[in-house]
Amino acid sequence: MHYRTVLLVAAIATGFAVKAQAQDRWSGFYGGISVNNNRTTANVGANATHRYKTSKNITISGLYAGYNFAGNGGFVWGGELGLTALDNKGSRTDAALGTSQFTGSYLLSPHLRAGWASDKFFFYGTAGVGISDAGVKPAGVSGKTRHTGFSYGLGVEMAINNGWSARLEATQYNFGKADAQSFNGSSQKVDTDIRMISLGLSRKF
């Protein structure tokens, strides 16, 4: 009976220790860099006469920073801000819409992360917004355009050591149909979205 009591106390103490380690591991400020595989699609008008799509194999770089709160039971949540470089280029020409240009140089993504964490792993979902200049505009139109949409995704982060961790994350950004523009005298809206798979390296401060 004595041994059972000792084992029970030891198990409870171990459980609290794991929770404490998980809370210490994932809570607080952090920052990181990421390599991203993004695919931007943009369609002009309902019939998508001018359709653009970046290659699946384009790799680009990003930065992110955030703050996590770790509670009891392994629940972790927090806010994060990411900035990713885009390289969207292309053009189309026809008699109906004239010439259009595919552009996009950045993606700014404020979002929330929430999920369950152990001392080694953090499994989470994301939800937030995306702000980007990605899209299509008529040729000859100067200046940058900015679109705002919503985002959602899933990810997993693995602790390495000394405050370092690695993550894998998949995110969808939907910008919907932007305000109508005049393409060769025809008023058309542009529907844009971005799919991104990110591999990141994080450091807790």
Side-chain angles (χ1 to χ4, degrees):
M1 195 70 179
H2 174 71
Y3 293 108
R4 291 181 181 179
T5 303
V6 171
L7 290 174
L8 179 60
V9 172
I12 293 173
T14 301
F16 279 117
V18 170
K19 287 182 180 179
Q21 290 172 0
Q23 290 175 352
D24 182 65
R25 169 73 73 177
W26 301 109
S27 62
F29 287 103
Y30 65 90
I33 59 174
S34 63
V35 175
N36 310 292
N37 183 303
N38 105 96
R39 187 169 194 175
T40 305
T41 61
N43 299 319
V44 179
N47 297 323
T49 305
H50 288 193
R51 175 174 293 170
Y52 296 88
K53 185 180 295 185
T54 56
S55 169
K56 291 181 179 180
N57 298 318
I58 294 178
T59 56
I60 46 185
S61 296
L63 300 171
Y64 56 87
Y67 189 92
N68 283 333
F69 300 90
N72 293 327
F75 180 70
V76 176
W77 68 279
E80 182 175 295
L81 178 64
L83 178 62
T84 305
L86 304 178
D87 187 24
N88 298 344
K89 297 177 181 178
S91 64
R92 299 279 190 278
T93 303
D94 63 19
L97 300 181
T99 301
S100 63
Q101 296 178 328
F102 182 45
T103 62
S105 60
Y106 72 89
L107 172 64
L108 184 66
S109 56
H111 57 274
L112 295 175
R113 298 197 306 163
W116 178 85
S118 66
D119 182 48
K120 192 69 175 177
F121 292 98
F122 176 27
F123 300 92
Y124 60 90
T126 68
V129 298
I131 303 168
S132 179
D133 61 346
V136 180
K137 60 184 179 181
V141 175
S142 60
K144 295 287 186 179
T145 57
R146 184 175 65 188
H147 312 293
T148 302
F150 66 92
S151 70
Y152 56 91
L154 293 172
V156 58
E157 192 161 356
M158 182 183 72
I160 302 174
N161 57 31
N162 297 326
W164 290 95
S165 61
R167 65 160 66 171
L168 178 64
E169 188 174 287
T171 311
Q172 173 80 29
Y173 298 87
N174 292 328
F175 296 95
K177 293 185 181 298
D179 293 339
Q181 304 178 74
S182 179
F183 292 85
N184 199 29
S186 175
S187 181
Q188 301 286 346
K189 292 186 176 182
V190 179
D191 192 359
T192 305
D193 66 66
I194 298 175
R195 297 178 182 178
M196 185 171 296
I197 298 177
S198 303
L199 180 63
L201 181 65
S202 307
R203 178 72 167 89
K204 179 186 169 184
F205 299 106

